[in-house]
Amino acid sequence: MEIAFFIMALIILVSGIGVIVSHNPIHSALWLVANLLTVAGLFANLDAHFLAVAQMIVYAGAIMVLVLFVLMLLNLKTERPSSASVMAKVVAAGFGIAFLWMIVPLLNRSFEVFEGPAVGVQGTVKEIGKLLYTKHIFPFEFASILIMAAIVGAVMLSKKKYRQ
Amino acid sequence: MVPVSYYLTLSAIMFTVGVVGVVVRRNSIVVFMCIELMLNAVNLSFVALSHYLGNLNGQIAVFFVMVVAAAEAAVGLAIIISMFRAMKSVETSNADQLNG
Amino acid sequence: MEFLILLIKVFVVFNAIMGLASICTWVERKGSALIQDRVGANRAGAYFETDILLLKPVFWVIRWAGMLGIINTLLCDAVKALTKEDFVPEGTSQFMHCLAPFLAVLPVFLAFAVLPLAPDFEVFGYQIRPQLASLNVGILFVFAMGSIAVYGVALAGWTGNNKFSLMGGLRASAQMISYELAMGITMVSVIVMYGTLDLYEMVAVQGNQWGIVYSPMAWLSFIILFVVGMAETKRGPFDLPESESELVAGYFTEYSGMKFLIFWLGEFAEIALFSAILVLLFFGGWNVPFLSLPDNHWLTALIGHAVLMGKILFFCVLQIVIRWTLPRFRYDQLMNLGWKILLPLSMVNLLIVAALKVF
């Protein structure tokens, strides 16, 4: 199954770069959707079945639809080509490459001792449900309060101020 | 099987792409999308390590990261809409005054 | 050999989808005509004759098919759509305009991968399960595909580059997202009822006793899922986004020819998808009430498949008849139904089903 990982990794890289390079914000949003769906595929490859489907439902199916709605309603034209000066882009890319240069060998070296997957724990709905409702019940309940706060906040922020 | 460092390298590259995007782009919504890219990279790293260590707590962490990302998406886009109403543009370089 | 079995399964599932969608197209055309007290399409192929004696039965069949409108719907519409001019509105991205129909249709076809189409059977020593992908999160995958189907509609509305398309597209996407909530919670209550997520296991658990009498509150889940299914496919009384007299054609406006036909086909495939889900969850799938056939035999699988297709066709015809009978909702009535009536109802349903399961 290695070929599946390499194809998906290639799609993830290409779409990630597509997000930051596209001039039209709607193209960026579509590249990001492709990225999220492929990452869901990688989750399924790693036996995290519930998370793969949750990623498709929550990220690609709800958050990105919200972003697309906002983009379509605001009706933005293409960003002017002078988004940042060329020097800024080169410096940013340079810092990125320097960061990767330092981090990647560190990651490779510190995880050499693990020789491959253990007898994989299947991330099915049953297993994750068992954990969520016993060991992590407090963050789970708190997450619902967080979402309610977000809903109230979003509604409050986007109401128009009524004129007197 | 693919060694775990491949997944971690992919996650690091995606994170860096997200950071470069946040720094370079000036459209607020594209900046927001690059933040989502960074969160995604971290999710991938969590799940890969959870698989290789045989522990499900990593996947629970990803669940909560997704919840927080959804909440942040709602509030962040509401803020962007308010910004657009006030300044008629979503460029970050236009939002340079308090009480503007 | 496993790969060959998989290819055959793909072929069978694809044919099932296309067959169901085509039959639905024909039923829509001729059935709507009969409901509206007119004759409908009956010209193409109705006058074929031949003098060759051996071919006379064949031409008799073609004449009857023509009189019933089958040749008109299945053959002539396709040829007409293929030969129309294919234009792209200027001012928008050509790529996105051509991508939108596929994004609307792909999730529907993918969702058919987790539907079992017949009971298990064994042939030539191979145990075959007629389900293309036995995921252990089966029904959640259908839900995920329903979430992704919003993109095709939103993009189609946006790339039309005019206000009618945009309004239709945004209304359609908002409608689909609103009804997904009720669908999700109702699916959770169905999962609680059966104790499993895999669709094959759900049908196997039902046995000869159909799902709708399996639990006292299953009828409420059925009603909610039926209404939500009609709202998700933008059919029936919920077809304001494509309202044919108000918004020109809503988000379809700028599409002509084959791309329109792809949207149309996707819509009928989605009708078939929701009918299939309703049948598998609530009406026993391939089980016939008072008939118990030997397990694991290929003839049982064939009969089961035919029974399943018959039940799916019944629900497809039901949805088509409802579409041509009821007037459409106003948009605020539609949103009211989705958020204020169906969502609390599905939550109450979940509580009751969970309570019944525990006690």
Side-chain angles (χ1 to χ4, degrees), chain A residues 5 13 20 22 25 29 35-36 46-47 55 59 74 79 83 96 100 108 121 128 131 135-136 139 157-158, chain B residues 5 7-8 13 16 24-27 33 36-37 40 49 51 54 56-57 59 64 66 69 79 82 84-85:
Chain A
F5 169 73
L13 285 174
I20 67 175
S22 303
N35 199 5
L36 294 171
L46 286 167
D47 284 333
Q55 166 106 345
Y59 256 113
L74 295 186
E79 190 170 301
S83 60
L100 279 179
N108 285 340
V121 192
I128 293 200
L131 263 186
K135 243 175 88 174
H136 303 274
L157 276 174
S158 49
Chain B
S5 49
Y7 283 102
L8 294 178
I13 297 180
T16 317
V24 166
R25 298 296 297 249
R26 291 226 177 123
N27 190 342
M33 286 196 274
E36 295 294 325
L37 204 57
N40 229 19
L49 282 173
H51 183 243
L56 267 188
N57 291 317
Q59 299 187 9
F64 287 115
M66 277 189 206
I79 293 180
S82 312
F84 183 75
R85 281 203 194 121

Side-chain angles (χ1 to χ4, degrees), chain C residues 314-349:
Chain C
F314 172 72
F315 275 97
C316 289
V317 170
L318 185 67
Q319 285 187 336
I320 291 178
V321 166
I322 290 184
R323 185 244 161 118
W324 287 104
T325 316
L326 295 176
R328 65 173 65 100
F329 276 109
R330 217 173 48 222
Y331 196 64
D332 59 318
Q333 289 171 338
L334 207 151
M335 285 294 163
N336 196 16
L337 183 69
W339 286 93
K340 292 198 210 161
I341 301 182
L342 281 184
L343 188 61
L345 200 60
S346 58
M347 287 192 206
V348 164
N349 182 29

Side-chain angles (χ1 to χ4, degrees), chain B residues 12 14 29-30 37-38 45 49 51 63 65-66 77 85 92:
Chain B
M14 285 325 297
I29 306 187
V30 177
L37 204 57
M38 288 196 277
S45 159
L49 282 173
H51 183 243
F63 181 79
V65 169
M66 277 189 206
L77 287 172
R85 281 203 194 121
T92 52

Side-chain angles (χ1 to χ4, degrees), chain A residues 65-164:
Chain A
V65 170
L66 192 60
V67 169
L68 262 181
F69 259 49
V70 169
L71 279 171
M72 289 182 189
L73 281 173
L74 295 186
N75 204 15
L76 300 163
K77 300 297 176 223
T78 310
E79 190 170 301
R80 290 191 312 272
S82 63
S83 60
S85 66
V86 179
M87 197 59 196
K89 285 188 202 170
V90 164
V91 168
F95 269 114
I97 294 182
F99 172 70
L100 279 179
W101 194 267
M102 287 188 296
I103 276 282
V104 171
L106 194 67
L107 288 174
N108 285 340
R109 237 177 293 140
S110 45
F111 284 99
E112 253 169 13
V113 291
F114 292 122
E115 29 202 48
V119 176
V121 192
Q122 300 280 323
T124 55
V125 177
K126 192 181 250 189
E127 300 294 324
I128 293 200
K130 269 198 271 198
L131 263 186
L132 265 183
Y133 277 92
T134 49
K135 243 175 88 174
H136 303 274
I137 181 70
F138 178 68
F140 183 68
E141 300 294 335
F142 197 72
S144 63
I145 301 182
L146 176 72
I147 292 188
M148 196 173 74
I151 292 178
V152 170
V155 169
M156 283 299 304
L157 276 174
S158 49
K159 275 168 75 113
K160 284 196 176 138
K161 304 278 182 286
Y162 292 104
R163 298 183 187 280
Q164 298 326 86

Side-chain angles (χ1 to χ4, degrees), chain B:
Chain B
M1 287 298 292
V2 180
V4 69
S5 49
Y6 284 22
Y7 283 102
L8 294 178
T9 313
L10 181 65
S11 164
I13 297 180
M14 285 325 297
F15 190 81
T16 317
V17 167
V19 167
V20 169
V22 167
V23 164
V24 166
R25 298 296 297 249
R26 291 226 177 123
N27 190 342
S28 317
I29 306 187
V30 177
V31 166
F32 173 73
M33 286 196 274
C34 295
I35 296 179
E36 295 294 325
L37 204 57
M38 288 196 277
L39 284 172
N40 229 19
V42 169
N43 280 352
L44 181 63
S45 159
F46 262 122
V47 171
L49 282 173
S50 148
H51 183 243
Y52 279 80
L53 292 176
N55 196 355
L56 267 188
N57 291 317
Q59 299 187 9
I60 306 285
V62 172
F63 181 79
F64 287 115
V65 169
M66 277 189 206
V67 164
V68 168
E72 163 217 352
V75 175
L77 287 172
I79 293 180
I80 290 181
I81 291 183
S82 312
M83 191 167 101
F84 183 75
R85 281 203 194 121
M87 302 183 313
K88 296 291 176 294
S89 140
V90 288
E91 293 234 347
T92 52
S93 44
N94 288 349
D96 55 358
Q97 286 179 354
L98 292 177
N99 203 14

